[in-house]
Amino acid sequence: MQRAYIYMEHPESGQVVTLGRLSLKGRLGEFVYAPEYVAQGGWVPDPIHYPLRAEPYTGITRNRGIPGFINDAMPDGWGERLLHRVYGQALSTLDFLLKSPNNDRVGNLMAGRARTPDEGTGEGTIPSLNGLAKFIAACEAVYDGQLTAEATTAFLMASGVFHRSTMFCQCSMRGRPRLWPWPSGAKAAKSAG
């Protein structure tokens, strides 16, 4: 059985505290709030589905056994792909949670192997996106139809957006989500690449 402790930057105090423990056996999960946190009472991330209580939540099957509020702190598909590249090995569901940086998550949840968070957990600089303005300009050119089908395919392949197992490219640019079908020349490029 794999385990990870879930930490939280408390929204009222700003302190990083242990919220609870997540255990996985295959795709079956269990989450239990830390006894100290239950005794203290107060705010929880999902009071509807996981209200504060001492008893464990067992038999969790959604999201590979991960409660929804913890799943929101997990890396997305792109993040999982990057972790595979960095670690070059098969990673379990909890590995994705534990190996992704705590200072670069969405929300106030973090994870670790120790019952109490190490000093400085969640602190650190957030990585910057150098060249983002050029990338957005290029995406807008694709979005506005200013590129040929061949140029669009080359752009998607060069930017890392192209993925062999998908036939669509989903992008969100400045609040304008779009689902782009691959151009007619992309199928040939896909089979060649």
Side-chain angles (χ1 to χ4, degrees):
M1 181 176 286
Q2 293 185 299
R3 291 184 176 179
Y5 288 91
I6 306 303
Y7 315 129
M8 172 181 74
E9 182 177 343
H10 199 283
E12 295 167 355
S13 69
Q15 293 180 322
V16 177
V17 298
T18 302
L19 182 65
R21 184 189 70 230
L22 174 65
S23 303
L24 285 181
K25 186 173 185 178
R27 293 177 151 257
L28 192 63
E30 175 182 293
F31 177 74
V32 61
Y33 284 105
E36 304 83 25
Y37 196 75
V38 172
Q40 180 183 4
W43 190 89
V44 293
D46 187 353
I48 295 172
H49 297 104
Y50 294 91
L52 188 62
R53 69 180 197 191
E55 299 81 24
Y57 290 91
T58 60
I60 303 166
T61 57
R62 290 187 142 186
N63 305 315
R64 301 178 284 185
I66 308 285
F69 71 95
I70 298 172
N71 193 57
D72 289 344
M74 299 276 294
D76 60 7
W78 178 251
E80 288 183 5
R81 184 175 179 184
L82 292 176
L83 288 169
H84 273 295
R85 284 191 179 184
V86 169
Y87 293 98
Q89 59 188 7
L91 298 172
S92 70
T93 302
L94 281 186
D95 286 334
F96 288 123
L97 181 64
L98 292 167
K99 292 182 182 294
S100 57
N102 281 322
N103 66 321
D104 192 21
R105 293 188 193 274
V106 174
N108 66 339
L109 297 183
M110 295 161 270
R113 295 193 186 278
R115 183 173 170 79
T116 57
D118 293 331
E119 186 70 30
T121 296
E123 295 177 3
T125 58
I126 296 175
S128 63
L129 298 172
N130 297 329
L132 184 59
K134 289 180 184 177
F135 180 76
I136 290 173
C139 287
E140 286 177 341
V142 171
Y143 174 75
D144 293 338
Q146 297 173 13
L147 300 179
T148 65
E150 291 78 23
T152 301
T153 301
F155 165 73
L156 293 174
M157 290 174 64
S159 67
V161 173
F162 180 81
H163 190 273
R164 292 174 191 258
S165 66
T166 57
M167 291 305 295
F168 292 94
C169 168
Q170 184 175 2
C171 295
S172 178
M173 299 179 305
R174 296 185 187 170
R176 298 182 304 190
R178 295 285 182 250
L179 189 62
W180 297 334
W182 285 104
S184 58
K187 199 170 199 176
K190 181 182 175 202
S191 60

